[in-house]
Amino acid sequence: MGKMQEDARIIRNEEVARMTWLMRLHSPGIAARARPGQFGMVRVREGIDPLLRRPLSFHRIHSGKGEIELLYRVAGKGTWWLSRCQPDSLVNITGPLGNGFTMPDNPSAAIALVAGGIGIAPLFELMVRISESRSKIKAEKMHLFYGARSADELLPAAVFESTDVSVHWSTDDGSFGFSGYVTELLEEWTARAGFRPTELFACGPLAMQHNVARWALARDIPVQLSLESLMACGIGACLGCALPAVHPGGSSAEHYVHVCKDGPIFSAGSIQWRKIRKQQLPSPIFPCD
Amino acid sequence: MAQNPQATAAVPDLSVRLGPLRLKNPVMTASGTFGYGEEFADFLDLGCLGAVVVKGISLLPRPGNPPPRIVETPAGMINAIGLENVGVEVFLASRLPGLRERGVPVIVNIFGNTVEEYAELASRLDGAAGIEALEINISCPNVKQGGMIFGTDPAMAAKVVEAVRLSTGLPLITKLTPNVTRIGEIARAVVDAGSDILSCINTVAAMAVDIFSRRPKLANVMGGLSGPAIRPVALRCTYEVVRSVNVPVIGIGGITGAADALEFLLVGARAVQVGTANFINPATAVEILEGIERFLQVQGLAGIEEFIGTLDTGCLFPFAEESCEWIDLKQP
């Protein structure tokens, strides 16, 4: 089944952590087609300002009920408007877009996931699916390393109870769990526990993903990173969401991949991290915006 | 809603003639906003469109600019994609055949960094089956002239068009840049050099910066503005170009709906291209087509030709000579 455009009806839209909103939508077409790690382009508002759709990954996909959930951080004008949307109103979504995660081949694999802040969004549906596929076998729990800047930005522990995952928490300011970056926790805990994942999944700020990539590459652990970028179309037409990548022919020639079409899921070794520019990092929201 | 219910019965004739080019309707998709067409096949029937203008093609593949390549601005976006494309060989081998099967006329947008590159590209495409016309992007730097943009100098623009004209028998569209003082002058120069059709406008030179990081928002620093923000500029350019030349003109710039498209047709464009709007609603082009048809029905017009170029710039009271004189007195 291909991509589609759908007017989704909002069932619920509420703040579940600081600046972090959960929107549940009735979107049967997209719910039937979507896989974990894919995303939709959401038109936050009618009219021409903001002009562009916002790419948001699927946090939950309830194909049976024809519903999807989006977890998003209010980070600018677009997501602010989205947070203003009321239940029963419609938002137009195109999707499902992108490649999505590749499910682990070996169901009893030792799986670790690393989430930074809103990076938990696409990982959640993946954890649910892996939990389901492993429900009948005896495997070690998945390990989720989940960090945010502060305790109030974390999802509550209760939401993870339905999944086969043990959560290791961290906050940059030490207000909950390990004090420091989530990548430091990953390094410390795995070393202490002697745990070596055979499959690694990550999503979060670019700097965090870079550290996860370096950690995994040094240990030869395959990792699937869910990356993001500004994007206009989401379907490979505007070519705006480019990231510097390793040339497929192995040459040193300049080469770019596109987050919308080649991703958003990438292996750590495919990205040319050194060539990513400072402008790629997000800027704070202007207080009056 | 309908002012003239009798008129709604007949299906209006949307076909247009642009010099050597005949199209079943005046709605095309603009280069660089519609990929190679295939990307949109899930969202609309490509066969409905007047034509698809594909992403600009160069002789060799180009990787494009480093990111960030786009930034959103009020009612618009600035891009500096850097003309990333697969190159003419891959285009002919693996992009064109699929698009042709969709039953939509294909117009190929071409660009180069020297006059010779433009000419060679045109001759490579000349022999290929299934190409209706070439659109020449002259908003590129001329590497042999210190990087000056071809399209900002009448003589340089004319040289490109002359060279392409000698290399192909295909209908030629020249896409004009708005980043000039007198767009009419450039228009006349490229028509004299053999351009059959003109299209305008390309993006408007623009820039965005971040006050916190104190960095430009695009890695390329400057880029091209598109979207509804540029529509009034594009409309003025189209009007000026229509009045400057005697060849058909295609209007482009910030068109998001049928009413916008009709504005361009009203000032004399014989067709339009839909650009940035394809990103926001991938079915925009088809919706515009349906909207134009409804408009013609409601207006009781038999075809789009009855509307094209019918802008009334006359005086407010055309039957009272005194009123006209009164308006004239205000002129210097």
Side-chain angles (χ1 to χ4, degrees):
Chain A
M1 281 193 291
K3 304 177 271 281
M4 65 174 300
Q5 182 170 192
E6 187 164 56
D7 279 323
R9 187 174 51 79
I10 299 171
I11 298 166
R12 196 163 63 227
N13 186 25
E14 46 198 32
E15 193 170 16
V16 292
R18 200 169 79 83
M19 302 289 266
T20 306
W21 289 66
L22 183 69
M23 180 181 269
R24 190 175 178 119
L25 297 143
H26 182 69
S27 187
I30 288 171
R33 292 166 165 81
R35 298 192 311 272
Q38 289 188 301
F39 67 100
M41 288 293 274
V42 180
R43 193 153 183 202
V44 299
R45 182 177 189 225
E46 286 291 312
I48 54 171
D49 196 32
L51 182 68
L52 301 176
R53 289 170 183 265
R54 296 298 188 263
L56 295 175
S57 62
F58 302 123
H59 179 56
R60 294 301 318 273
I61 304 160
H62 310 281
S63 30
K65 287 183 185 160
E67 293 171 6
I68 55 171
E69 289 177 59
L70 306 172
L71 185 75
Y72 60 97
R73 203 172 87 84
V74 173
K77 190 159 61 176
T79 40
W80 184 83
W81 276 110
L82 197 62
S83 74
R84 300 297 94 197
C85 291
Q86 297 299 314
D88 277 332
S89 60
L90 300 175
V91 285
N92 187 276
I93 305 179
T94 51
L97 308 173
N99 54 3
F101 289 112
T102 306
M103 294 289 280
D105 285 336
N106 174 9
S108 58
I111 293 168
L113 308 102
V114 188
I118 196 63
I120 190 66
L123 294 176
F124 201 94
E125 182 64 24
L126 177 71
M127 290 190 300
V128 170
R129 300 283 175 105
I130 297 175
S131 301
E132 282 166 6
S133 73
R134 289 162 32 129
S135 61
K136 290 188 183 68
I137 60 161
K138 216 168 164 57
E140 188 183 352
K141 279 196 163 206
M142 291 179 276
H143 292 276
L144 169 66
F145 300 87
Y146 179 26
R149 283 177 299 200
S150 185
D152 58 0
E153 294 183 7
L154 291 163
L155 292 181
V159 303
F160 299 102
E161 277 166 11
S162 60
T163 63
D164 176 34
V165 63
S166 66
V167 187
H168 309 272
W169 307 83
S170 76
T171 49
D172 299 356
D173 64 1
S175 53
F176 188 74
F178 174 87
S179 175
Y181 290 139
V182 69
T183 43
E184 295 172 324
L185 170 64
L186 168 75
E187 194 154 0
E188 201 190 283
W189 190 89
T190 49
R192 188 151 37 86
F195 176 74
R196 187 186 185 283
T198 53
E199 298 252 11
L200 189 57
F201 299 89
C203 185
L206 205 53
M208 182 214 94
Q209 304 231 50
H210 178 216
N211 281 333
V212 172
R214 283 201 320 204
W215 185 85
L217 285 171
R219 288 160 183 78
D220 207 22
I221 298 168
V223 55
Q224 296 184 42
L225 305 170
S226 175
L227 301 182
E228 65 175 349
S229 167
L230 291 168
M231 78 181 54
C233 73
I235 56 175
C238 75
L239 307 180
C241 60
L243 281 181
V246 177
H247 197 278
S251 80
S252 60
E254 213 176 332
H255 179 69
Y256 295 99
V257 286
H258 299 95
V259 173
C260 71
K261 198 177 54 170
D262 306 312
I265 314 302
F266 294 97
S267 69
S270 64
I271 303 299
Q272 285 256 39
W273 298 94
R274 274 165 211 275
K275 289 195 175 163
I276 294 179
R277 305 220 177 177
K278 288 177 184 169
Q279 284 110 321
Q280 203 76 22
L281 300 173
S283 201
I285 311 169
F286 193 69
C288 309
D289 225 17
Chain B
M1 194 177 74
Q3 295 166 349
N4 184 349
Q6 280 83 38
T8 60
V11 177
D13 178 13
L14 291 183
S15 67
V16 285
R17 192 175 38 73
L18 289 88
L21 199 60
R22 279 162 198 282
L23 302 175
K24 64 175 171 285
N25 67 63
V27 180
M28 321 179 191
T29 55
S31 177
T33 66
F34 209 67
Y36 300 106
E38 211 60 30
E39 292 87 341
F40 286 78
D42 280 339
F43 299 102
L44 51 76
D45 176 7
L46 294 167
C48 291
L49 302 172
V52 165
V53 187
V54 297
K55 171 77 182 159
I57 297 286
S58 49
L59 268 182
L60 297 173
R62 284 175 56 115
N65 284 336
R69 292 177 172 186
I70 57 167
V71 55
E72 187 180 49
T73 54
M77 63 179 279
I78 310 175
N79 87 79
I81 305 299
L83 295 164
E84 176 184 340
N85 79 97
V86 295
V88 70
E89 295 308 325
V90 175
F91 169 72
L92 287 173
S94 67
R95 299 295 196 276
L96 183 60
L99 187 51
R100 270 175 53 197
E101 277 171 28
R102 301 276 178 183
V104 59
V106 179
I107 296 172
V108 181
N109 182 288
I110 60 167
F111 70 92
N113 288 119
T114 62
V115 172
E116 295 75 24
E117 273 180 36
Y118 278 100
E120 191 177 340
L121 249 178
S123 60
R124 293 262 188 107
L125 293 164
D126 186 50
I131 298 176
E132 297 299 316
L134 299 185
E135 183 181 64
I136 313 169
N137 175 3
I138 52 170
S139 306
C140 295
N142 181 348
V143 295
K144 289 190 178 167
Q145 295 277 326
M148 189 181 172
I149 308 295
F150 282 107
T152 57
D153 178 76
M156 242 164 50
K159 274 212 182 91
V160 171
V161 176
E162 253 164 44
V164 173
R165 180 72 291 167
L166 290 172
S167 313
T168 179
L170 286 167
L172 289 187
I173 306 166
T174 306
K175 187 168 182 176
L176 304 177
T177 170
N179 306 314
V180 295
T181 310
R182 283 181 291 275
I183 196 166
E185 242 174 58
I186 312 279
R188 278 191 295 273
V190 296
V191 168
D192 290 345
S195 189
D196 303 301
I197 304 164
L198 301 179
S199 60
C200 62
I201 57 175
N202 211 320
T203 55
V204 178
M207 180 172 171
V209 296
D210 186 306
I211 54 168
F212 293 99
S213 64
R214 305 187 187 184
R215 294 183 199 117
K217 287 190 175 176
L218 296 171
N220 194 54
V221 184
M222 290 184 286
L225 179 65
S226 66
I230 69 165
R231 203 179 76 227
V233 177
L235 193 67
R236 184 272 299 170
C237 288
T238 303
Y239 180 64
E240 268 196 63
V241 171
V242 164
R243 283 162 44 112
S244 305
V245 295
N246 284 320
V247 300
V249 176
I250 303 168
I252 320 167
I255 295 173
T256 64
D260 303 345
L262 286 160
E263 287 182 8
F264 284 84
L265 298 174
L266 180 60
V267 304
R270 301 192 53 79
V272 294
Q273 291 179 13
V274 182
T276 302
N278 295 316
F279 300 152
I280 298 135
N281 173 6
T284 302
V286 167
E287 289 173 15
I288 288 176
L289 209 47
E290 292 162 357
I292 291 176
E293 197 171 286
R294 272 199 307 277
F295 176 81
L296 295 178
Q297 283 173 340
V298 168
Q299 294 267 313
L301 300 174
I304 191 68
E305 290 286 359
E306 290 181 24
F307 184 74
I308 289 172
T310 55
L311 182 73
D312 179 6
T313 53
C315 34
L316 186 57
F317 307 107
F319 305 112
E321 268 172 43
E322 303 83 357
S323 326
C324 291
E325 278 164 21
W326 178 76
I327 289 168
D328 283 345
L329 284 174
K330 296 230 150 195
Q331 306 289 321

